[in-house]
Amino acid sequence: AQTVTQSQPEMSVQEAETVTLSCTYDTSESNYYLFWYKQPPSRQMILVIRQEAYKQQNATENRFSVNFQKAAKSFSLKISDSQLGDTAMYFCAFMNNNDMRFGAGTRLTVKP
Amino acid sequence: NAGVTQTPKFQVLKTGQSMTLQCAQDMNHEYMSWYRQDPGMGLRLIHYSVGAGITDQGEVPNGYNVSRSTTEDFPLRLLSAAPSQTSVYFCASPGQYLQPQHFGDGTRLSIL
């Protein structure tokens, strides 16, 4: 079974600085998809960014970008110019066929 | 969240009671799924459906029952609630395979 590991339970960053959240996964599959989700205190699950495993180019979405290392099975999220509204839980997720697995999450606090 | 509606938002049950969590989507999506979110464990897939009349088990299916009689609705049933089922439950629907998952707002369920 696929597993997703987020080794940083909590992180903090100063407003306007850059922070990187780590995620590793374990799978024997070659075709899959990776996601980062944000969950603010409102409890909503919001898709931040996604990456198809067959694409070598790292996905970017405005201030959010990923460093996808397929051989190392690593999928980190970089948030540039951090904003107070980025404060939330961040979940890394792996999807293959109909099976989606989430990491335990990283609580990010952006400090003014 | 646009398109996926969950009810109720909060519920308290006694051990042994039964209840149904409702999930409806108006996006005409084939795929729907149920997750539970527990502290420190991220989201775990309970059951999913790839279309009307078709359901399958996810990572943690025990104690839950689902059916999919229409494309729009995917209810989750607890036949005999147990304290271990105290959790936050999310319904999700991703639409096209590569499209983001649309999550409902979640149901906080407490079982005493």
Side-chain angles (χ1 to χ4, degrees):
Chain A
Q2 286 75 222
T3 58
V4 179
T5 302
Q6 292 178 249
S7 60
Q8 305 152 314
E10 294 188 16
M11 294 192 71
S12 63
V13 63
Q14 292 296 130
E15 193 176 7
E17 293 189 346
T18 296
V19 64
T20 298
L21 308 184
S22 300
C23 174
T24 59
Y25 58 94
D26 185 25
T27 184
S28 58
E29 303 289 340
S30 58
N31 295 319
Y32 50 87
Y33 302 85
L34 296 162
F35 306 86
W36 277 98
Y37 285 88
K38 170 185 177 181
Q39 187 179 44
S42 66
R43 204 171 68 192
Q44 285 184 303
M45 290 291 290
I46 303 165
L47 179 69
V48 174
I49 199 166
R50 67 169 180 247
Q51 174 83 41
E52 292 88 346
Y54 65 87
K55 289 186 177 179
Q56 293 186 340
Q57 186 174 4
N58 289 325
T60 61
E61 196 72 41
N62 300 316
R63 298 183 294 108
F64 300 89
S65 61
V66 298
N67 183 4
F68 174 46
Q69 302 289 328
K70 191 172 183 179
K73 296 179 183 176
S74 171
F75 183 61
S76 60
L77 175 69
K78 186 172 80 171
I79 306 174
S80 304
D81 186 25
S82 298
Q83 300 175 358
L84 296 178
D86 295 333
T87 292
M89 283 290 290
Y90 286 82
F91 293 97
C92 177
F94 169 102
M95 186 170 188
N96 171 254
N97 293 323
N98 296 310
D99 190 3
M100 191 163 191
R101 301 293 173 110
F102 287 79
T106 296
R107 185 177 302 279
L108 177 67
T109 302
V110 180
K111 298 180 178 179
Chain B
N1 284 305
V4 179
T5 303
Q6 277 185 248
T7 56
K9 293 194 185 308
F10 302 94
Q11 185 71 47
V12 179
L13 292 178
K14 293 182 180 179
T15 297
Q17 285 186 317
S18 63
M19 90 160 288
T20 300
L21 307 185
Q22 301 290 347
C23 177
Q25 52 98 359
D26 59 4
M27 300 172 285
N28 202 31
H29 290 171
E30 293 295 327
Y31 186 92
M32 296 182 75
S33 54
W34 276 102
Y35 296 86
R36 60 179 288 174
Q37 183 179 21
D38 300 298
M41 300 188 72
L43 278 74
R44 291 182 292 168
L45 182 63
I46 304 171
H47 284 285
Y48 65 92
S49 169
V50 297
I54 306 169
T55 63
D56 207 345
Q57 296 180 350
E59 185 181 358
V60 287
N62 292 339
Y64 306 95
N65 203 2
V66 293
S67 60
R68 186 90 179 273
S69 56
T70 67
T71 300
E72 294 77 19
D73 300 300
F74 189 43
L76 178 72
R77 297 182 184 85
L78 285 70
L79 300 178
S80 179
S84 62
Q85 294 177 304
T86 293
S87 188
V88 178
Y89 291 85
F90 287 94
C91 179
S93 180
Q96 296 297 319
Y97 188 50
L98 296 182
Q99 296 303 311
Q101 293 233 11
H102 301 271
F103 283 84
D105 289 339
T107 297
R108 182 175 293 279
L109 181 63
S110 295
I111 299 163
L112 308 177

PDB file of all heavy atoms in Angstrom, chain B residues 12 17-18 23-24 26 32-33 38-40 43 48 50 53 61 70 72 82 91 96-97 99 101-102 105 109-110:
ATOM      1  N   VAL B  12     -24.021  14.447  17.378  1.00  0.00           N
ATOM      2  CA  VAL B  12     -23.604  13.673  18.539  1.00  0.00           C
ATOM      3  C   VAL B  12     -24.484  12.442  18.611  1.00  0.00           C
ATOM      4  O   VAL B  12     -25.712  12.550  18.545  1.00  0.00           O
ATOM      5  CB  VAL B  12     -23.712  14.493  19.840  1.00  0.00           C
ATOM      6  CG1 VAL B  12     -23.294  13.630  21.026  1.00  0.00           C
ATOM      7  CG2 VAL B  12     -22.850  15.745  19.764  1.00  0.00           C
ATOM      8  N   GLN B  17     -26.092   3.634  18.255  1.00  0.00           N
ATOM      9  CA  GLN B  17     -27.076   4.278  17.382  1.00  0.00           C
ATOM     10  C   GLN B  17     -26.620   4.206  15.937  1.00  0.00           C
ATOM     11  O   GLN B  17     -25.429   4.039  15.647  1.00  0.00           O
ATOM     12  CB  GLN B  17     -27.277   5.749  17.792  1.00  0.00           C
ATOM     13  CG  GLN B  17     -28.086   5.939  19.048  1.00  0.00           C
ATOM     14  CD  GLN B  17     -28.368   7.400  19.332  1.00  0.00           C
ATOM     15  OE1 GLN B  17     -27.494   8.268  19.209  1.00  0.00           O
ATOM     16  NE2 GLN B  17     -29.604   7.685  19.725  1.00  0.00           N
ATOM     17  N   SER B  18     -27.565   4.366  15.049  1.00  0.00           N
ATOM     18  CA  SER B  18     -27.233   4.397  13.629  1.00  0.00           C
ATOM     19  C   SER B  18     -27.526   5.781  13.076  1.00  0.00           C
ATOM     20  O   SER B  18     -28.336   6.530  13.641  1.00  0.00           O
ATOM     21  CB  SER B  18     -28.033   3.351  12.861  1.00  0.00           C
ATOM     22  OG  SER B  18     -29.423   3.648  12.946  1.00  0.00           O
ATOM     23  N   CYS B  23     -24.331  13.206   1.430  1.00  0.00           N
ATOM     24  CA  CYS B  23     -23.440  13.931   0.531  1.00  0.00           C
ATOM     25  C   CYS B  23     -24.102  14.029  -0.827  1.00  0.00           C
ATOM     26  O   CYS B  23     -24.569  13.026  -1.361  1.00  0.00           O
ATOM     27  CB  CYS B  23     -22.091  13.230   0.393  1.00  0.00           C
ATOM     28  SG  CYS B  23     -20.980  14.038  -0.776  1.00  0.00           S
ATOM     29  N   ALA B  24     -24.141  15.236  -1.355  1.00  0.00           N
ATOM     30  CA  ALA B  24     -24.726  15.457  -2.672  1.00  0.00           C
ATOM     31  C   ALA B  24     -23.827  16.379  -3.478  1.00  0.00           C
ATOM     32  O   ALA B  24     -23.231  17.309  -2.945  1.00  0.00           O
ATOM     33  CB  ALA B  24     -26.122  16.070  -2.544  1.00  0.00           C
ATOM     34  N   ASP B  26     -23.641  18.496  -7.391  1.00  0.00           N
ATOM     35  CA  ASP B  26     -24.434  18.932  -8.546  1.00  0.00           C
ATOM     36  C   ASP B  26     -23.563  19.173  -9.763  1.00  0.00           C
ATOM     37  O   ASP B  26     -23.922  19.940 -10.653  1.00  0.00           O
ATOM     38  CB  ASP B  26     -25.227  20.190  -8.187  1.00  0.00           C
ATOM     39  CG  ASP B  26     -24.333  21.342  -7.742  1.00  0.00           C
ATOM     40  OD1 ASP B  26     -23.088  21.188  -7.795  1.00  0.00           O
ATOM     41  OD2 ASP B  26     -24.864  22.388  -7.352  1.00  0.00           O
ATOM     42  N   MET B  32     -17.145   9.709  -6.468  1.00  0.00           N
ATOM     43  CA  MET B  32     -17.368  10.321  -5.163  1.00  0.00           C
ATOM     44  C   MET B  32     -16.694   9.469  -4.105  1.00  0.00           C
ATOM     45  O   MET B  32     -16.525   8.262  -4.282  1.00  0.00           O
ATOM     46  CB  MET B  32     -18.864  10.457  -4.852  1.00  0.00           C
ATOM     47  CG  MET B  32     -19.593  11.406  -5.813  1.00  0.00           C
ATOM     48  SD  MET B  32     -21.337  11.613  -5.413  1.00  0.00           S
ATOM     49  CE  MET B  32     -21.230  12.697  -3.963  1.00  0.00           C
ATOM     50  N   SER B  33     -16.332  10.096  -3.006  1.00  0.00           N
ATOM     51  CA  SER B  33     -15.610   9.357  -1.972  1.00  0.00           C
ATOM     52  C   SER B  33     -15.889   9.940  -0.599  1.00  0.00           C
ATOM     53  O   SER B  33     -16.309  11.093  -0.471  1.00  0.00           O
ATOM     54  CB  SER B  33     -14.105   9.391  -2.270  1.00  0.00           C
ATOM     55  OG  SER B  33     -13.657  10.732  -2.434  1.00  0.00           O
ATOM     56  N   ASP B  38      -8.724  12.256  11.377  1.00  0.00           N
ATOM     57  CA  ASP B  38      -8.431  12.136  12.794  1.00  0.00           C
ATOM     58  C   ASP B  38      -7.148  12.892  13.111  1.00  0.00           C
ATOM     59  O   ASP B  38      -6.257  12.984  12.260  1.00  0.00           O
ATOM     60  CB  ASP B  38      -8.275  10.662  13.177  1.00  0.00           C
ATOM     61  CG  ASP B  38      -9.526   9.876  12.883  1.00  0.00           C
ATOM     62  OD1 ASP B  38     -10.566  10.206  13.484  1.00  0.00           O
ATOM     63  OD2 ASP B  38      -9.484   8.967  12.033  1.00  0.00           O
ATOM     64  N   PRO B  39      -7.020  13.402  14.310  1.00  0.00           N
ATOM     65  CA  PRO B  39      -5.820  14.174  14.670  1.00  0.00           C
ATOM     66  C   PRO B  39      -4.541  13.373  14.429  1.00  0.00           C
ATOM     67  O   PRO B  39      -4.445  12.211  14.829  1.00  0.00           O
ATOM     68  CB  PRO B  39      -6.024  14.462  16.161  1.00  0.00           C
ATOM     69  CG  PRO B  39      -7.499  14.405  16.354  1.00  0.00           C
ATOM     70  CD  PRO B  39      -7.982  13.339  15.409  1.00  0.00           C
ATOM     71  N   GLY B  40      -3.586  14.010  13.765  1.00  0.00           N
ATOM     72  CA  GLY B  40      -2.289  13.376  13.551  1.00  0.00           C
ATOM     73  C   GLY B  40      -2.273  12.295  12.495  1.00  0.00           C
ATOM     74  O   GLY B  40      -1.257  11.622  12.306  1.00  0.00           O
ATOM     75  N   LEU B  43      -6.175  12.498   6.290  1.00  0.00           N
ATOM     76  CA  LEU B  43      -7.458  11.966   5.828  1.00  0.00           C
ATOM     77  C   LEU B  43      -7.263  10.529   5.355  1.00  0.00           C
ATOM     78  O   LEU B  43      -6.277  10.210   4.701  1.00  0.00           O
ATOM     79  CB  LEU B  43      -8.008  12.804   4.664  1.00  0.00           C
ATOM     80  CG  LEU B  43      -8.744  14.088   5.009  1.00  0.00           C
ATOM     81  CD1 LEU B  43      -7.781  15.160   5.447  1.00  0.00           C
ATOM     82  CD2 LEU B  43      -9.576  14.562   3.840  1.00  0.00           C
ATOM     83  N   TYR B  48     -15.457   4.563  -1.719  1.00  0.00           N
ATOM     84  CA  TYR B  48     -15.585   5.418  -2.880  1.00  0.00           C
ATOM     85  C   TYR B  48     -16.511   4.771  -3.903  1.00  0.00           C
ATOM     86  O   TYR B  48     -16.840   3.579  -3.798  1.00  0.00           O
ATOM     87  CB  TYR B  48     -14.215   5.733  -3.508  1.00  0.00           C
ATOM     88  CG  TYR B  48     -13.492   4.542  -4.080  1.00  0.00           C
ATOM     89  CD1 TYR B  48     -13.649   4.191  -5.418  1.00  0.00           C
ATOM     90  CD2 TYR B  48     -12.633   3.789  -3.295  1.00  0.00           C
ATOM     91  CE1 TYR B  48     -12.967   3.107  -5.955  1.00  0.00           C
ATOM     92  CE2 TYR B  48     -11.960   2.710  -3.820  1.00  0.00           C
ATOM     93  CZ  TYR B  48     -12.119   2.375  -5.152  1.00  0.00           C
ATOM     94  OH  TYR B  48     -11.449   1.304  -5.681  1.00  0.00           O
ATOM     95  N   VAL B  50     -17.300   4.889  -8.273  1.00  0.00           N
ATOM     96  CA  VAL B  50     -16.898   5.389  -9.591  1.00  0.00           C
ATOM     97  C   VAL B  50     -18.107   5.619 -10.495  1.00  0.00           C
ATOM     98  O   VAL B  50     -17.955   5.968 -11.658  1.00  0.00           O
ATOM     99  CB  VAL B  50     -15.894   4.450 -10.280  1.00  0.00           C
ATOM    100  CG1 VAL B  50     -14.620   4.359  -9.466  1.00  0.00           C
ATOM    101  CG2 VAL B  50     -16.490   3.074 -10.488  1.00  0.00           C
ATOM    102  N   GLY B  53     -24.422   2.800  -8.760  1.00  0.00           N
ATOM    103  CA  GLY B  53     -24.468   1.357  -8.647  1.00  0.00           C
ATOM    104  C   GLY B  53     -23.142   0.683  -8.366  1.00  0.00           C
ATOM    105  O   GLY B  53     -23.072  -0.530  -8.186  1.00  0.00           O
ATOM    106  N   PRO B  61     -12.687   0.800   5.768  1.00  0.00           N
ATOM    107  CA  PRO B  61     -14.117   0.645   5.494  1.00  0.00           C
ATOM    108  C   PRO B  61     -14.951   0.047   6.625  1.00  0.00           C
ATOM    109  O   PRO B  61     -16.184   0.172   6.613  1.00  0.00           O
ATOM    110  CB  PRO B  61     -14.119  -0.303   4.305  1.00  0.00           C
ATOM    111  CG  PRO B  61     -12.911  -1.173   4.547  1.00  0.00           C
ATOM    112  CD  PRO B  61     -11.891  -0.265   5.170  1.00  0.00           C
ATOM    113  N   THR B  70     -27.882   7.083  -7.215  1.00  0.00           N
ATOM    114  CA  THR B  70     -27.922   8.146  -8.216  1.00  0.00           C
ATOM    115  C   THR B  70     -26.537   8.753  -8.363  1.00  0.00           C
ATOM    116  O   THR B  70     -25.684   8.584  -7.483  1.00  0.00           O
ATOM    117  CB  THR B  70     -28.899   9.278  -7.828  1.00  0.00           C
ATOM    118  OG1 THR B  70     -28.387   9.941  -6.665  1.00  0.00           O
ATOM    119  CG2 THR B  70     -30.293   8.736  -7.543  1.00  0.00           C
ATOM    120  N   GLU B  72     -25.904  11.854  -8.143  1.00  0.00           N
ATOM    121  CA  GLU B  72     -25.799  13.020  -7.272  1.00  0.00           C
ATOM    122  C   GLU B  72     -25.483  12.679  -5.815  1.00  0.00           C
ATOM    123  O   GLU B  72     -24.855  13.453  -5.112  1.00  0.00           O
ATOM    124  CB  GLU B  72     -27.099  13.830  -7.317  1.00  0.00           C
ATOM    125  CG  GLU B  72     -27.406  14.476  -8.654  1.00  0.00           C
ATOM    126  CD  GLU B  72     -27.942  13.500  -9.676  1.00  0.00           C
ATOM    127  OE1 GLU B  72     -28.419  12.410  -9.294  1.00  0.00           O
ATOM    128  OE2 GLU B  72     -27.866  13.810 -10.889  1.00  0.00           O
ATOM    129  N   ALA B  82     -19.706   3.507  17.115  1.00  0.00           N
ATOM    130  CA  ALA B  82     -18.747   3.199  18.175  1.00  0.00           C
ATOM    131  C   ALA B  82     -17.899   4.438  18.452  1.00  0.00           C
ATOM    132  O   ALA B  82     -17.680   5.248  17.546  1.00  0.00           O
ATOM    133  CB  ALA B  82     -17.861   2.040  17.748  1.00  0.00           C
ATOM    134  N   CYS B  91     -16.788  14.374   2.468  1.00  0.00           N
ATOM    135  CA  CYS B  91     -17.174  13.813   1.193  1.00  0.00           C
ATOM    136  C   CYS B  91     -16.418  14.584   0.115  1.00  0.00           C
ATOM    137  O   CYS B  91     -16.206  15.800   0.242  1.00  0.00           O
ATOM    138  CB  CYS B  91     -18.673  13.963   0.997  1.00  0.00           C
ATOM    139  SG  CYS B  91     -19.307  13.348  -0.568  1.00  0.00           S
ATOM    140  N   GLN B  96     -13.387  15.073 -13.431  1.00  0.00           N
ATOM    141  CA  GLN B  96     -12.449  14.424 -14.339  1.00  0.00           C
ATOM    142  C   GLN B  96     -11.230  13.970 -13.557  1.00  0.00           C
ATOM    143  O   GLN B  96     -10.845  14.580 -12.575  1.00  0.00           O
ATOM    144  CB  GLN B  96     -12.019  15.392 -15.451  1.00  0.00           C
ATOM    145  CG  GLN B  96     -13.142  15.824 -16.351  1.00  0.00           C
ATOM    146  CD  GLN B  96     -13.749  14.682 -17.115  1.00  0.00           C
ATOM    147  OE1 GLN B  96     -13.050  13.797 -17.599  1.00  0.00           O
ATOM    148  NE2 GLN B  96     -15.064  14.664 -17.210  1.00  0.00           N
ATOM    149  N   TYR B  97     -10.588  12.953 -13.998  1.00  0.00           N
ATOM    150  CA  TYR B  97      -9.533  12.304 -13.232  1.00  0.00           C
ATOM    151  C   TYR B  97      -8.429  13.277 -12.832  1.00  0.00           C
ATOM    152  O   TYR B  97      -7.859  13.200 -11.773  1.00  0.00           O
ATOM    153  CB  TYR B  97      -8.968  11.150 -14.044  1.00  0.00           C
ATOM    154  CG  TYR B  97      -7.996  10.294 -13.281  1.00  0.00           C
ATOM    155  CD1 TYR B  97      -8.320   9.804 -12.023  1.00  0.00           C
ATOM    156  CD2 TYR B  97      -6.769   9.984 -13.822  1.00  0.00           C
ATOM    157  CE1 TYR B  97      -7.440   9.014 -11.331  1.00  0.00           C
ATOM    158  CE2 TYR B  97      -5.881   9.188 -13.131  1.00  0.00           C
ATOM    159  CZ  TYR B  97      -6.215   8.707 -11.891  1.00  0.00           C
ATOM    160  OH  TYR B  97      -5.317   7.921 -11.205  1.00  0.00           O
ATOM    161  N   GLN B  99      -8.770  16.534 -12.488  1.00  0.00           N
ATOM    162  CA  GLN B  99      -9.267  17.758 -11.902  1.00  0.00           C
ATOM    163  C   GLN B  99      -9.161  17.710 -10.385  1.00  0.00           C
ATOM    164  O   GLN B  99      -9.172  16.652  -9.786  1.00  0.00           O
ATOM    165  CB  GLN B  99     -10.733  17.981 -12.314  1.00  0.00           C
ATOM    166  CG  GLN B  99     -10.914  18.193 -13.793  1.00  0.00           C
ATOM    167  CD  GLN B  99     -10.100  19.364 -14.281  1.00  0.00           C
ATOM    168  OE1 GLN B  99     -10.127  20.441 -13.700  1.00  0.00           O
ATOM    169  NE2 GLN B  99      -9.350  19.168 -15.351  1.00  0.00           N
ATOM    170  N   GLN B 101      -9.954  17.717  -6.480  1.00  0.00           N
ATOM    171  CA  GLN B 101     -11.054  17.193  -5.694  1.00  0.00           C
ATOM    172  C   GLN B 101     -11.832  18.341  -5.065  1.00  0.00           C
ATOM    173  O   GLN B 101     -11.274  19.259  -4.524  1.00  0.00           O
ATOM    174  CB  GLN B 101     -10.510  16.289  -4.583  1.00  0.00           C
ATOM    175  CG  GLN B 101      -9.879  15.024  -5.069  1.00  0.00           C
ATOM    176  CD  GLN B 101     -10.461  13.786  -4.396  1.00  0.00           C
ATOM    177  OE1 GLN B 101     -11.473  13.871  -3.719  1.00  0.00           O
ATOM    178  NE2 GLN B 101      -9.822  12.655  -4.542  1.00  0.00           N
ATOM    179  N   HIS B 102     -13.136  18.255  -5.172  1.00  0.00           N
ATOM    180  CA  HIS B 102     -14.019  19.196  -4.487  1.00  0.00           C
ATOM    181  C   HIS B 102     -14.467  18.539  -3.195  1.00  0.00           C
ATOM    182  O   HIS B 102     -15.080  17.483  -3.221  1.00  0.00           O
ATOM    183  CB  HIS B 102     -15.240  19.514  -5.346  1.00  0.00           C
ATOM    184  CG  HIS B 102     -14.899  20.109  -6.668  1.00  0.00           C
ATOM    185  ND1 HIS B 102     -14.758  21.466  -6.857  1.00  0.00           N
ATOM    186  CD2 HIS B 102     -14.663  19.538  -7.872  1.00  0.00           C
ATOM    187  CE1 HIS B 102     -14.452  21.699  -8.116  1.00  0.00           C
ATOM    188  NE2 HIS B 102     -14.394  20.558  -8.760  1.00  0.00           N
ATOM    189  N   ASP B 105     -17.852  20.552   3.237  1.00  0.00           N
ATOM    190  CA  ASP B 105     -17.370  21.309   4.397  1.00  0.00           C
ATOM    191  C   ASP B 105     -17.098  20.429   5.612  1.00  0.00           C
ATOM    192  O   ASP B 105     -16.603  20.914   6.629  1.00  0.00           O
ATOM    193  CB  ASP B 105     -18.381  22.390   4.777  1.00  0.00           C
ATOM    194  CG  ASP B 105     -18.411  23.514   3.746  1.00  0.00           C
ATOM    195  OD1 ASP B 105     -17.417  23.660   3.004  1.00  0.00           O
ATOM    196  OD2 ASP B 105     -19.431  24.224   3.669  1.00  0.00           O
ATOM    197  N   LEU B 109     -18.498  14.455  13.854  1.00  0.00           N
ATOM    198  CA  LEU B 109     -19.322  13.433  14.490  1.00  0.00           C
ATOM    199  C   LEU B 109     -18.673  12.991  15.796  1.00  0.00           C
ATOM    200  O   LEU B 109     -17.499  12.613  15.810  1.00  0.00           O
ATOM    201  CB  LEU B 109     -19.473  12.229  13.553  1.00  0.00           C
ATOM    202  CG  LEU B 109     -20.316  11.061  14.044  1.00  0.00           C
ATOM    203  CD1 LEU B 109     -21.755  11.506  14.256  1.00  0.00           C
ATOM    204  CD2 LEU B 109     -20.255   9.912  13.035  1.00  0.00           C
ATOM    205  N   SER B 110     -19.448  13.071  16.871  1.00  0.00           N
ATOM    206  CA  SER B 110     -18.981  12.627  18.180  1.00  0.00           C
ATOM    207  C   SER B 110     -19.863  11.490  18.662  1.00  0.00           C
ATOM    208  O   SER B 110     -21.092  11.598  18.612  1.00  0.00           O
ATOM    209  CB  SER B 110     -19.028  13.770  19.198  1.00  0.00           C
ATOM    210  OG  SER B 110     -18.132  14.796  18.839  1.00  0.00           O
TER     211      SER B 110
END
